[in-house]
Structure formats: C-alpha cells, structure tokens
Amino acid sequence: MFFPTRPHYFSHRINQEVKEIYWNAMVVNLALSITTLFEPIFLYRLGYSLSGILHFYALVYLGYAILVFLAAKITSRIGYKHSILVSNIFYVLYWVLLYQIKFHPILFFIAPFFFSLQKSFFWPPYHADIALNAKDDQRGREVGLLFSLIQMVSVAGPLVGGFIAAFLGFKELFILSSVLMLASVYPLFRSAEIYPKHNFRFRNFLLVIRKFPVNFFAYWGYAEDLMLMSLWPVYIFLVVPELLGVGFLITVASAIAIMIMLYIGRVIDQRKWGKFLQISSVFYGLTWFCRQFGSGFGQVFFFDSLTRTGKAMINVPMTALSYKLAGISGADQAIAYTVFYEFSLSIGKILTALLGIWILDTTGNIFYVFIVAGIFTMFYGFLKEKK
C-alpha cells in the first residue's frame, strides 16, 4: 500500500499486474520527460516551420490510425508484454531516425512511421492490461496514483533533458532516453506473459462505435495533447530561447499537478466524475483560448502550470471511465474499446493538425491554432458511460 497514513487517497491491495505497469510507466515516462519536450524544438532548430512540424505529427497519427488495427491483431498472438517490448524497440528506432533527419532530410517522412508503430504496439495493450486488472471500487484512485507517479518521475525530466541538450547535445539526449526506454520493460517480465484469450476483430471495433458513438468525438479532446507535443514546446522556446530555461520552466510547472491528481482520483471513486469532467473540459479548453497573453517568462509559466493542472483534472476521470468501459466484458471488449479509443483520438489529432496547418499557412498566427485546440479540448465533456 502506498502512503498508508492517507489510505483513502491511495490504492490498496493493488493487483500485481497493475504494480508492474506502475513501475514500467515510471521508467517510460522518465525517458519521455527527458526527450519529448525537445523533439519539436529539435525540428524547429533544424529549420522546419511550425506548419512543417504539424505536418510531421499529422503523418504520425495518420499512420497510427491505420496501423493500430494490424498491431492489435499481432498483440493477440504475442501477448501484451511482448507487444510493449516491441513498441519500445520502435521508439528507439524512431529517435535514431529523428536525429538523422539533420543529415538525411528524407527521414522527415519516414521517422513518423516508426513513431506510429510504437504507438500501435504500446497503447492498446497498455490500456487493456490496466482495464482488465484494475479494481472497480478504486479504479479512479489507481488511475490517479498512476498519473501522480508519472508526474513525480517526470518533474526532473525536462530539467535533465534541457541540461543534456544544452551542454552535451541532442544525440546524447536521445541515447539516454533510448537506454531508459529499453530498461522499462524489465518490471513487466517479473511475472508471466499475458496471453488473453481474444482475437481482435474489426467487427468488434464497429460494434464499439455503434455502442458509444458520442465517445468517438469525445476523444477528439486530445487535440490539446497534440499541441503539448508539437507547437506549445516550440512557443515556450521562442519566449525562453534557452534549452535549460525551457526545461526548468516545465519542471517547476509539473510539480503543481501531482497532489491534484490524487485528490481527483478519490472524487472519481465517489462517482462524481460526470459533472466534474464536463466542468474540467471547459476550464482546460479556455486555458488554450488565453495563450495569446503569454508573452513573457512569467505568463508562459503561469499558462503551463494551468495546462498541467487542467490536464490532471481531465486525465484522471476521462481515463478511469475509459478503463471502466474497456474492462466490463473481458479481453475482447478491452482490446476492441482501446483500439476505438486510440483510433478516435488519432482522427481528432489529424483533423487538428490539418486545421492548424491551414491556419498557419493562411494567417501565420499560432494563437488561432491554440483556440482551435481549446475548442476540441472541450469535447472531452461529451464522454459518456452509456449510449
């Protein structure tokens, strides 16, 4: 049991599989927190425009929307844990190709394909594993604890990444993250592989769409996530044009969201998620509307803190409900719903990227793109437990 002096805020008697996922997620997100923030900045420093960076991520999610179905089929044969191992290998290959873009520009169109493969082999089994093993009476707390652990290991990551990128270089940054990414699978294999008795069928995916049609659009709220991994880091870099400074800003802002996630997890377990999710989606969406006022270090820090707080308020109830819907009918439902989840958010991100490209090419105003992202972020509020 974590933090026994406050048992009502934390999960208890956690399933062994969930514990392994916690450890895996901590190491994975340490690797990601070191590197992810600086990937779009790396592309920007190579001379790619904001529109070009959105093109890159549009290719990622176009590939993801197609490959996730094939990966789900393969996952049912090789098992959840081996699928996650494969995904980590693809992540390392992606970072190798990303770094090589500076020498071979054609890789700008190839690297996104490997990122798509990583996502396709990672997210559906990751989600399905938690959905099948989390306890119904503390699902919110388990998700809240998961995100809090991720935040705790991620707090120092941007600062470390900024230091390495500034004083050693992007090559060393990608190497360190690659080592951590490969090491992250060790906790998963401390117990036997999971070979769920299911066979992913496209028919099951279509049944999920018919059963939860509104949720297809609700996951378009992940437009904000696209901004966090593409344009927002570059904008921070434009305001704070030092890699170490960017890392410091994100590190301090990240620390704010940790306790919020734990509290939200408890609220969700008390069955108060519906209204809370709707209010949070509007609040978080509005933070994107106000980015035009973030013209200095203090303002950018304020909005990034709001971003991480708003994302915490959204992530816990949205993810807890998604795991509940995925885990209600066994392994077939779990893999079908998680593929639906990832496909839906991919379509939302593709649409957001295309609109962003059009806006940037037409007006050159990044804040209009943030407004579009804010509108889509509010779609999270449409997420429903029933049709």
Side-chain angles (χ1 to χ4, degrees), residues 18-61:
V18 176
K19 289 181 182 178
E20 293 172 359
I21 292 171
Y22 283 170
W23 282 107
N24 169 260
M26 289 170 66
V27 181
V28 165
N29 283 277
L30 177 59
L32 295 181
S33 66
I34 291 173
T35 303
T36 302
L37 173 69
F38 300 99
E39 290 176 16
I41 296 175
F42 174 74
L43 292 173
Y44 183 78
R45 292 184 65 175
L46 289 181
Y48 290 97
S49 65
L50 298 179
S51 176
I53 291 171
L54 279 183
H55 273 96
F56 183 89
Y57 287 97
L59 290 175
V60 170
Y61 286 98

Side-chain angles (χ1 to χ4, degrees), residues 273-282 314 317-318 380-381 383:
W273 67 266
K275 203 62 160 180
F276 187 85
L277 181 57
Q278 294 170 3
I279 294 172
S280 298
S281 64
V282 173
I314 287 289
M318 183 273 298
Y380 280 131
L383 194 66

Side-chain angles (χ1 to χ4, degrees), residues 322-341:
S322 298
Y323 287 161
K324 179 179 180 180
L325 296 176
I328 56 178
S329 300
D332 284 353
Q333 169 76 8
I335 198 69
Y337 191 89
T338 54
V339 169
F340 161 72
Y341 175 4

Side-chain angles (χ1 to χ4, degrees), residues 208-276:
V208 172
I209 291 182
R210 285 199 290 270
K211 189 174 182 180
F212 303 102
V214 177
N215 289 5
F216 172 75
F217 299 101
Y219 292 124
W220 288 16
Y222 272 97
E224 51 82 22
D225 192 65
L226 176 68
M227 292 299 104
L228 291 180
M229 66 190 305
S230 60
L231 298 190
W232 182 241
V234 176
Y235 180 74
I236 293 176
F237 179 70
L238 293 175
V239 175
V240 188
E242 296 178 359
L243 294 172
L244 187 58
V246 172
F248 174 78
L249 186 151
I250 301 300
T251 288
V252 176
S254 296
I256 297 175
I258 295 176
M259 294 307 298
I260 294 175
M261 289 182 181
L262 291 172
Y263 177 74
I264 292 172
R266 184 188 177 211
V267 171
I268 301 314
D269 284 334
Q270 295 174 346
R271 304 296 188 267
K272 300 176 182 177
W273 67 266
K275 203 62 160 180
F276 187 85

Side-chain angles (χ1 to χ4, degrees), residues 302-320:
F302 173 74
F303 282 113
D304 194 70
S305 299
L306 276 184
T307 291
R308 294 176 189 282
T309 302
K311 194 166 181 63
M313 294 169 65
I314 287 289
N315 266 347
V316 178
M318 183 273 298
T319 307

